[in-house]
Amino acid sequence: MKKKVTKIGVLTSGGDAPGMNACIRAVVRTGIYYGMDVYGIMRGYTGMVENDIFQMESRSVANIIQRGGTILKTSRCKDFFTSEGRKKAYDNLTKLGINGLVIIGGDGSFRGAQTFSNEYDIPCVGLPGTIDKDIAGTDFTIGFDTAVNTAVEAIDKIRDTADAHDRLFIIEVMGRDAGYIALHSGIATGAENILIPERKTDIEEVIKQLAEKERRHKLVNIIVVAEGDEFGGADEIAKIIKARLPMQDVRVCILGHIQRGGSPTCFDRLIASRMGYSAVECLMEGKFNVFVGMVNNRMYFTPLNEAVKKKQRISEEWMKIVRILAS
Ligand code: ADP
């Protein structure tokens, strides 16, 4: 018989993502609705180790659904990698009687939760909060839609200036070693080429395409590069293109951290609310040590020990569409 979960802690860990606040709100309010005490844990696992934990009320999460970042703050916690650190965390939780945890973060945070729940009898439920969308077992992650829309808005603006000056812009987007933000934002902005880590970058092919466009006097070009592209990012690509095609007026724009911030999109608020609610239900129903995803518009639960980075398989058809539509 599984123990009844009556006091839960919620934390945000690893890289921040827009929609984390909407998710915290859902966890807090669902927990309270079902009669649980809910505690906010500050700065990810650091708050567990350092006992930075406070009880939350329904009002504690008022007016945050539309805010980016995370009111609980986040961190990368070195101490949690050590058994001493995790023991301290466990002692702090048990002092307060916390007997269930909801962890909003990426695959690293899930690995931490898995390690902790193997050692101690505190069930954990993970929620995928990452702009990179690089976790297997879910079609969406909280924050991806907002990040990709921010990238689209920025690239649209850059296209205006590219068009005014007949320029080639190489735009670098985030995603760590995943190319989802680049792929989605590149397709949505009509990029001439999209360079992602999941597909080997053939620089000769990129140059050939640009040279062919130069012959046709098509000088306004946008190339979207994922930060994790093995070829070396926007600066590196620009250097080579400038050397090989001196006629091209090449500029680089690295979008950077603007992609992490800002008000979450409706879609991110919806999935954050749904997943947050579902995480509390998991703890109530004894569905322990899983993370909550969504597959084909249904909640989908994956054991934390199977939480792995998703390697994107890019269909060749997508890349063909990019080439045809950008001609
Ligand atoms: P993300 O969750 O965004 O992937 P990280 O990979 O940085 O971010 O992980 C966040 C935190 O999770 C780490 O700083 C650490 O505190 C904890 N963590 C990650 N992996 C482990 C592990 N194997 N054992 C214990 N804690 C871990």
Side-chain angles (χ1 to χ4, degrees), residues 202-259:
D202 182 349
I203 195 71
E204 290 307 321
E205 185 59 31
V206 174
I207 290 168
K208 203 171 105 194
Q209 282 173 19
L210 287 170
E212 195 272 320
K213 284 180 177 154
E214 205 174 86
R215 268 193 298 281
R216 289 194 280 119
H217 301 289
K218 183 179 191 296
L219 298 173
V220 184
N221 285 298
I222 301 280
I223 296 179
V224 177
V225 190
E227 65 179 345
D229 186 63
E230 89 292 341
F231 203 82
D235 282 321
E236 194 58 32
I237 307 268
K239 227 190 296 165
I240 294 169
I241 293 175
K242 271 184 203 163
R244 297 280 299 277
L245 300 172
M247 284 286 285
Q248 292 269 345
D249 188 4
V250 187
R251 297 295 152 101
V252 167
C253 182
I254 297 173
L255 295 189
H257 283 81
I258 62 161
Q259 292 159 96

Side-chain angles (χ1 to χ4, degrees), residues 15-69:
D16 65 309
M20 280 182 159
N21 279 326
C23 197
I24 295 166
R25 173 179 176 271
V27 171
V28 171
R29 294 204 169 156
T30 308
I32 290 170
Y33 174 82
Y34 285 120
M36 294 171 170
D37 289 340
V38 184
Y39 290 82
I41 299 167
M42 296 301 294
R43 292 172 292 128
Y45 294 119
T46 309
M48 262 164 68
V49 176
E50 295 179 0
N51 200 21
D52 196 358
I53 305 173
F54 67 103
Q55 187 160 3
M56 298 182 87
E57 307 298 338
S58 190
R59 292 295 91 206
S60 320
V61 290
N63 201 19
I64 65 165
I65 194 168
Q66 77 282 22
R67 282 168 57 191

Side-chain angles (χ1 to χ4, degrees), residues 13-15 45 76-77 80-81 86 106-109 111-112 115 176:
S13 168
Y45 294 119
R76 298 200 150 91
C77 175
F80 208 69
F81 283 101
R86 293 191 296 275
D107 64 310
S109 303
R111 270 194 298 281
T115 309
R176 290 199 290 188

Side-chain angles (χ1 to χ4, degrees), residues 228-295:
D229 186 63
E230 89 292 341
F231 203 82
D235 282 321
E236 194 58 32
I237 307 268
K239 227 190 296 165
I240 294 169
I241 293 175
K242 271 184 203 163
R244 297 280 299 277
L245 300 172
M247 284 286 285
Q248 292 269 345
D249 188 4
V250 187
R251 297 295 152 101
V252 167
C253 182
I254 297 173
L255 295 189
H257 283 81
I258 62 161
Q259 292 159 96
R260 279 199 185 279
S263 185
T265 57
C266 173
F267 185 80
D268 272 335
R269 296 181 204 191
L270 287 179
I271 62 165
S273 301
R274 226 174 135 183
M275 288 177 176
Y277 161 85
S278 180
V280 175
E281 291 220 312
C282 282
L283 287 171
M284 284 192 4
E285 292 165 3
K287 210 178 276 156
F288 294 163
N289 308 324
V290 294
F291 82 85
V292 178
M294 275 173 64
V295 173

